[in-house]
Amino acid sequence: MHRALSNVLQLGVKELRSLARDPAMVILIIYAFSMAIYSSATAMPETPNRATIAVVDEDRSQVSSRLIDAFQLPYFMPPTLINHRQMDRGMDSGLYTFTLNIPPDFQRDLLAGQQPTIQLNVDATQISQAFSGAGHIQQIIQNETTAFVQGYSGAAALPLEAVVRMAYNPNLEASWFGSISEVINQITMLSIILTGAALIREREHGTIEHLLVMPVTPLEIMLAKVWAMGLVVLIACALSLRLVVQDWLGVPIQGAVSLFLAGTALHLFATTSMGIFLGTVARSMPQLGLLIILVLIPLEILSGAVTPRESMPVVVQTIMSLAPTTHFVQLAQGVLLRGAGIGIIWPQLLALAAIGLVFFYAALRRLRTTLQ
């Protein structure tokens, strides 16, 4: 037993040294757990963020002032009051993403029960702000004008009022959900790539033959790759959660990070085994890349990290319940976003352990076959 553990430790250290001498893989790990997470969480915001807006107020009434005051940070920059000539010039030069034209007698027509129109011009070249911002502005105009008319006319109170409370993400920040989902995706992707590439590298460099003549077993070889590559991803994940998710993006972590990392270790046990299995099937790095694409895309899209599993067909939900990513997504979101404890996520921990054992056994059998 002592000799076997020593072999696993020494082979794992060899894997870490080999990875450190591969600059492409090192750069991939750093990018995947830094800029990839940040860009994915902030690339296409669901709400406008500090969007520039200008207003042509031809009515200069109480309701027009109310509309102008409704555009506030962090969604919109303070509105700039301009005239018609400045509106066209500002849109052409890209100074304003949105321009709002409030026509004369807007308040009078509104109180008279007519349907006055407000012109909204949108610079659609600012694609990240244009679509979400236009809908946001329409909602602001509707809410403010409705509140003004009801307050002026003294409309009867509604028989009931629905009070909506946003749990866990009160401001509906898309980056909170997007950053956690991207961390999950990067953990899955890199663990499969690193272990699969480590096995392919052994075959391409001819070191696999050296291992075969040494007093080591396929189980020791596999365990060494699993713990070494899993440790690299686990450390990168912990640093990313602290430096990128919490400090850079400002996402509040509700639960215990140590509990999440324990679940991550079980998930890595399954995905690194999957990477070794794919490494035994592929004969070169390009083949491994194609296999990973075929496996990784369904794992990420159908696991619940992109769309809710409840919206998927029952057959797909049943099949994906056998995938480790499905249970890891539930665990990660429960711990990091909702502050769940082990009393809530223990079914996911058990599922990850069971799936990991199955994948490990299948990969070990495949590895023994290829090494004979």
Side-chain angles (χ1 to χ4, degrees), residues 14-64:
K14 178 189 74 68
E15 294 294 339
L16 294 176
R17 290 175 178 172
S18 178
L19 178 62
R21 290 193 296 267
D22 192 339
M25 284 296 181
V26 174
I27 293 173
L28 175 63
I29 295 171
I30 295 174
Y31 173 80
F33 281 103
S34 57
M35 289 304 301
I37 294 174
Y38 180 83
S39 60
S40 178
T42 60
M44 290 293 290
E46 296 180 1
T47 58
N49 181 41
R50 301 179 67 87
T52 54
I53 183 171
V55 180
V56 179
D57 186 5
E58 298 183 281
D59 190 35
R60 298 187 182 277
S61 61
Q62 184 180 354
V63 68
S64 66

Side-chain angles (χ1 to χ4, degrees), residues 44 52-53 55 79 87 106 110 168 191 200 208 211 225 279 285 309 369:
M44 290 293 290
T52 54
I53 183 171
V55 180
M87 180 178 68
F106 175 75
L110 190 66
Y168 313 118
S191 58
I200 296 293
I208 192 70
L211 293 176
K225 295 183 185 300
M285 287 293 187
R309 295 187 66 236
T369 302

Side-chain angles (χ1 to χ4, degrees), residues 11 22 39 48 57 73-74 77 92 131 169 186-187 195 228 248 261-262 264-265 297 308 329 354 357 359:
L11 289 174
D22 192 339
S39 60
D57 186 5
L73 292 169
M77 297 293 290
D92 293 338
F131 296 104
N169 188 0
Q186 297 300 334
I187 290 172
T195 49
W248 196 358
L261 293 178
T264 303
I297 292 178
V329 168
L357 287 173
F359 283 0

